[in-house]
Amino acid sequence: MANGGIIGPVQTVCSGQSQVIHSKTSTGSLTLGSKTTAIDYIVVAGGAGGGGAYGGGGGAGGFRTGSSVTVSSGATLCATVGGAGAASTGSYSGGSAGGTGGNSVLSGGGITTVTSNGGGGGGSWNSARCGVNGGSAGGASLAGCGGTGNTPPTSPSQGNNGGKASPGPDNAGGGGGAGGVGACGSPSGCGNGGAGGVGVASTITGSPVFYAGGGGGMGTSTAGAGGNGGGGAGRAGISTGNGTAGTANTGGGGGGGIYEVNSANGGSGIVI
């Protein structure tokens, strides 16, 4: 196991072991101890906002991880934690796509800088139908195209594509998640929104926790579910209402709205 941790308040996992976990939910730094020689980490960017007016789900923030990475003893690590992407804004027929999440970055201590890119916003009818590219990408609105995930590209991949939407005003694609693509919205007449892509489980804190799930697309009958990992569900039904926001500090994407511009924010990122 790596000795030492990343950023933030100390949490002792188990007495008698030298591994210590640090999690950071806002930008900050940590000076490593003199005996710390390697670290494990996850870097999760902010999730994107969902689209409004037949809105696609917001893409999850990029997810990157490393194990037993050599560091310089006594050095300082710096973390930037990406904020949540904002919900779509504008008029019913001319709303913007959901806002892109903020990047999360881990640097210093002799490591190669690790950047996870914010999720791409969900598409909105009718001026911004396609999902936005990002760490994981946004889902589409009304016959639009899903965005391209893993943008810019990393290896291993930090995320996945958003789902497309079939013709018709009663469906939208789900946002991509770190562990899977966003589902496509159903054909016109079915009214089922696409589910957000699943996130990725990490055991860095001991028990498995999912991060970076995509937001669900809206559906007039059934909303797309949020992806496991903090993704918010889309709005269901034909009345005005909001999608569900992504969960804070998971990098989950926000759910798409249906009438007016009433999507939801994404979830902020985290560095552990």
Side-chain angles (χ1 to χ4, degrees):
M1 282 189 172
N3 179 22
I6 305 298
I7 302 295
V10 174
Q11 174 189 2
T12 301
V13 183
C14 179
S15 60
Q17 294 186 0
S18 58
Q19 187 178 36
V20 179
I21 295 172
H22 307 269
S23 64
K24 188 64 181 175
T25 57
S26 61
T27 298
S29 62
L30 170 76
T31 300
L32 299 173
S34 61
K35 295 183 179 180
T36 300
T37 58
I39 60 170
D40 300 338
Y41 64 79
I42 64 169
V43 179
V44 186
Y54 307 119
F63 177 96
R64 301 188 67 186
T65 185
S67 179
S68 299
V69 177
T70 300
V71 293
S72 302
S73 298
T76 298
L77 293 174
C78 299
T80 300
V81 178
S88 171
T89 60
S91 66
Y92 167 70
S93 61
S96 65
T100 297
N103 295 348
S104 290
V105 183
L106 178 65
S107 62
I111 69 171
T112 300
T113 297
V114 179
T115 301
S116 293
N117 293 87
S124 297
W125 186 76
N126 64 359
S127 59
R129 297 187 184 190
C130 289
V132 178
N133 300 342
S136 281
S141 169
L142 273 113
C145 52
T148 301
N150 194 31
T151 302
T154 65
S155 182
S157 173
Q158 61 178 317
N160 287 282
N161 296 346
K164 68 179 182 179
S166 299
D170 52 5
N171 68 95
V181 300
C184 298
S186 68
S188 179
C190 296
N192 298 323
V198 67
V200 171
S202 171
T203 58
I204 194 169
T205 58
S207 300
V209 177
F210 275 83
Y211 298 91
M218 58 67 58
T220 51
S221 295
T222 303
N228 192 3
R235 169 68 185 181
I238 59 174
S239 60
T240 300
N242 295 331
T244 303
T247 303
N249 306 131
T250 66
I258 185 163
Y259 286 144
E260 305 304 326
V261 179
N262 50 20
S263 61
N265 296 338
S268 53
I270 191 167
V271 177
I272 302 175

